[in-house]
Amino acid sequence: MFPSDATASATLGPVAPDWTIQELVAWIADDDARSHDEMLRPLLSAVLADLAPDAPPSLTPRSPVALVRAVAARLRATPELRDIAVRDLVGDAIGAGSAPVTATTAGRRAPTPAPASVRRPSLRLT
């Protein structure tokens, strides 16, 4: 059996633990590059696992984009989940190794983009 991403340790990175799930989704939506950031995948997996505990692990999305869409869909289906703090879902332990950024400074710090999956051909003009 394969371990799910929700069991992996996650770091909050630029996400403040007292943000609500709605604020997390809004922050990701502010910059398209954030929805592709692999660093957010463990956090989003943990959030989705707590928002949808009845979902079979085999159907859990793996890519960051699919995870963001699944979390957003869950929030649309159940609006009362929007006001839950990230800390309440994933706990305080996941932010222990990182220095969370406050909501006012988070917009200034961009996540590291994922590396390209296709190598760019080198052009030799001789």
Side-chain angles (χ1 to χ4, degrees):
M1 187 149 219
F2 295 84
S4 71
D5 291 331
T7 60
S9 67
T11 58
L12 288 175
V15 177
D18 58 340
W19 282 1
T20 63
I21 303 304
Q22 180 66 33
E23 290 171 327
L24 172 65
V25 171
W27 177 75
I28 293 170
D30 283 343
D31 185 3
D32 188 49
R34 292 179 186 149
S35 66
H36 298 278
D37 189 3
E38 284 291 326
M39 299 290 287
L40 293 175
R41 190 170 49 86
L43 174 65
L44 291 169
S45 293
V47 167
L48 183 60
D50 285 343
L51 290 179
D54 54 339
S58 61
L59 297 179
T60 302
R62 300 284 184 223
S63 74
V65 173
L67 286 165
V68 170
R69 289 178 181 170
V71 169
R74 189 69 172 173
L75 293 181
R76 278 192 306 275
T78 315
E80 58 269 10
L81 298 175
R82 295 176 183 174
D83 296 328
I84 298 174
V86 171
R87 174 186 296 125
D88 294 339
L89 287 180
V90 295
D92 290 326
I94 67 165
S98 63
V101 179
T102 62
T104 57
T105 60
R108 291 187 239 148
R109 187 173 163 195
T112 306
S117 61
V118 178
R119 290 186 69 158
R120 183 178 298 169
S122 60
L123 298 174
R124 296 182 189 197
L125 303 172
T126 56

